[in-house]
Amino acid sequence: TLKRDTECNYESGIRRQDGATTPVEVHARRVEFEETDSVQWILRDITERKRNERELITLNYAINQSSDAVFMIDEQLTFVYVNDAACRSLGYSREEFLTMGPSDIDATITYDAAKDIMSKQFAAGSFPRFETQHKTRDGRIFPVEVSSSVVEYDGAKFSLTTVHDITERKQAENAIKEREKHSQSLLR
């Protein structure tokens, strides 16, 4: 029961003539109309909002299932999003990452170098794939391959960066080189 001069908001669904249900936001308030106590109902179709919410949840879930680390970096070189793989691979919490930037986790790229890379990326729309080394919270350093592209939203630019741990690939490459070197030494 709605008391006088009160209102309430909630989400519900209404059944259409075709039997389908449409999600709606309901706003109800008690009013006096022609000297009669009444309830004013305002219903707003929220189908689009619900579709967007589902899409966002699905996208977030998918990105967090990636085995590669995913970072979104703003124009001030601060992480604004990191996925679960980034947290696992580097040992930082999501909250910690949101106070950091690329040069905080890269063992070879300085802040100025990161700024230069980002400037070039924002100007071109992407940056060529490159290899570098990341440093974990506990100091372990491992090789990575970085690929990124620019995402523009609401007048702001972001770098959407995917980082792949290439430790196994580098170990395999080194093993091949060692075998080749050994083979060459046997032929001499």
Side-chain angles (χ1 to χ4, degrees), residues 95-136:
E95 293 74 26
E96 288 173 306
F97 266 122
L98 299 182
T99 67
M100 301 166 69
S103 59
D104 295 317
I105 61 167
D106 198 295
T108 59
I109 295 178
T110 64
Y111 177 82
D112 289 335
K115 192 172 182 178
D116 184 50
I117 290 169
M118 293 292 279
S119 294
K120 289 176 182 172
Q121 179 184 0
F122 286 147
S126 65
F127 194 80
R129 189 177 304 229
F130 66 96
E131 292 181 8
T132 187
Q133 295 185 329
H134 275 183
K135 187 165 103 174
T136 65

